[in-house]
Amino acid sequence: MKDFSKITLVSVTGVAETQQRAVYALTLSLRQMPGARAVLCSPQAPASLPDGIEHRKIAALSYQDYSWFMMYALWRVVETEFALIVQDDGWVLDTANWSDDFLNYDYVGPTAHVGRIDTETDTRWVTHYKWSAELDKPGKVVMPTINGGFCLRSRRMMRALIDHPEIKVTIPAPDNIDGDPLKVSWTHCALNEDVQLTCVLRPALEAVGLKFAPLDMCLRFGIEHAGPVHRGIDMMSLFGHHCRWRRLIGIDPPTVQYRTKRSIAERAFREMDIAHMLEARGYRLQFLPENA
């Protein structure tokens, strides 16, 4: 039997709306991980919690507050060597696909579509998995964002910005300032904690010894949206997943509410392969009405 005693499952939610679904994600994941601890971080404790899940009270969080919490305060609620982050839209699928090799790294997670490409002369950001076309090209260093909503982090990673105050969060200038009403935004989501840790700050973190899992391991660990790098992936081989489209709304039986119409999911690359994998695992799927 696998031993997960080095790991604490953590779900951080700053709003009441997602709290019960976060409990579902913790419960479903914990059932498969004997020896692991589990912590729900939220402003108010639920009326009841399943055995094995602890509650830690935190202040209400905005979307951006969440990123600051994960970069600077996560270590305060975790006593084990590793934290496995789960959310109402990201959780463990199958611990038969777990590998102890994941523990050899400070950060492991599914790849995201945003990526950073460094050359000797500049840094370029790309989206929609365009970074995959640049892999292994001479003179280019490709850094895909590694998803933070379902990921494994070592305590060293959780404390990285505490123990190395010289490494500072850097916000590039926004690349979109337009619209009516006028809006400021970043195509590469530079304000998000996973983009910061795994792309913006990655060279500095690696320079002080932090280790990020290689691409092939990230592809085995889980999936967000599928891209060209997932063309040959067996969806049944995944340890977990995270995607805002797929929300866990029940666990007995496990039920996923898609936040999109089935017709849209069918047009998304390999999304229905993910849906069929969930059904094969006993999940019930719900999609938004086609006339919504």
Side-chain angles (χ1 to χ4, degrees), residues 103-116:
L103 300 176
N104 294 330
Y105 296 89
D106 295 296
Y107 194 117
V108 192
T111 59
H113 75 98
V114 175
R116 168 181 170 174

Side-chain angles (χ1 to χ4, degrees), residues 31-53:
R31 285 177 181 177
Q32 303 182 67
M33 299 183 67
R37 301 183 184 184
V39 177
L40 171 69
C41 300
S42 66
Q44 298 294 330
S48 63
L49 274 175
D51 291 343
I53 300 178

Side-chain angles (χ1 to χ4, degrees), residues 5-284:
S5 58
K6 293 182 178 180
I7 299 171
T8 298
L9 290 154
V10 184
S11 191
V12 177
T13 177
V15 294
E17 175 191 357
T18 63
Q19 180 170 267
Q20 183 56 56
R21 297 193 300 267
V23 172
Y24 290 151
L26 285 167
T27 303
L28 199 58
S29 300
L30 187 60
R31 285 177 181 177
Q32 303 182 67
M33 299 183 67
R37 301 183 184 184
V39 177
L40 171 69
C41 300
S42 66
Q44 298 294 330
S48 63
L49 274 175
D51 291 343
I53 300 178
E54 174 191 354
H55 180 260
R56 292 293 299 270
K57 186 174 182 177
I58 61 172
L61 301 176
S62 68
Y63 184 81
Q64 196 53 51
D65 289 338
Y66 172 86
S67 284
W68 292 113
F69 184 96
M70 298 302 285
M71 288 189 288
Y72 286 97
L74 180 62
W75 67 275
R76 297 282 297 271
V77 301
V78 176
E79 297 178 1
T80 52
E81 189 176 346
F82 293 89
L84 180 63
I85 311 305
V86 301
Q87 297 182 348
D88 68 335
D89 51 8
W91 61 91
V92 173
L93 293 170
D94 190 348
T95 51
N97 297 325
W98 167 266
S99 170
D100 284 342
D101 290 344
F102 297 151
L103 300 176
N104 294 330
Y105 296 89
D106 295 296
Y107 194 117
V108 192
T111 59
H113 75 98
V114 175
R116 168 181 170 174
I117 302 170
D118 284 358
T119 66
E120 288 186 359
T121 57
D122 67 1
T123 292
R124 181 165 58 98
W125 291 86
V126 295
T127 59
H128 299 91
Y129 284 105
K130 292 177 183 175
W131 54 262
S132 63
E134 306 298 324
L135 292 168
D136 301 322
K137 287 189 177 180
K140 294 186 178 181
V141 177
V142 178
M143 287 173 271
T145 297
I146 304 177
N147 184 284
F150 177 75
C151 69
L152 184 73
R153 307 183 194 197
S154 71
R155 190 162 187 82
R156 291 204 317 152
M157 180 61 73
M158 289 182 268
R159 286 187 51 89
L161 302 184
I162 304 298
D163 295 335
H164 300 281
E166 72 279 9
I167 301 176
K168 301 183 185 302
V169 171
T170 302
I171 308 296
D175 51 1
N176 291 313
I177 308 174
D178 55 21
D180 184 14
L182 187 62
K183 181 180 180 181
V184 174
S185 62
W186 288 257
T187 300
H188 44 63
C189 308
L191 300 181
N192 292 0
E193 52 100 17
D194 49 4
V195 177
Q196 281 289 322
L197 293 175
T198 68
C199 283
V200 177
L201 301 179
R202 179 167 176 167
L205 292 169
E206 288 181 323
V208 297
L210 278 297
K211 295 173 61 179
F212 294 83
L215 177 59
D216 62 335
M217 182 170 288
C218 291
L219 294 175
R220 289 192 288 119
F221 188 85
I223 195 167
E224 190 185 76
H225 288 290
V229 290
H230 301 100
R231 193 172 301 279
I233 296 294
D234 176 4
M235 298 303 177
M236 292 297 290
S237 71
L238 299 173
F239 170 58
H241 83 109
H242 173 247
C243 176
R244 293 178 66 185
W245 272 11
R246 311 176 210 112
R247 177 178 282 172
L248 189 64
I249 62 170
I251 54 174
D252 292 311
T255 304
V256 170
Q257 172 67 63
Y258 266 82
R259 299 175 68 187
T260 192
K261 303 172 186 178
R262 186 183 186 97
S263 59
I264 294 176
E266 288 173 344
R267 295 196 296 271
F269 180 65
R270 297 210 66 188
E271 185 59 42
M272 292 312 295
D273 291 336
I274 298 172
H276 294 152
M277 173 270 291
L278 291 170
E279 289 178 322
R281 295 191 178 284
Y283 286 77
R284 295 180 180 178

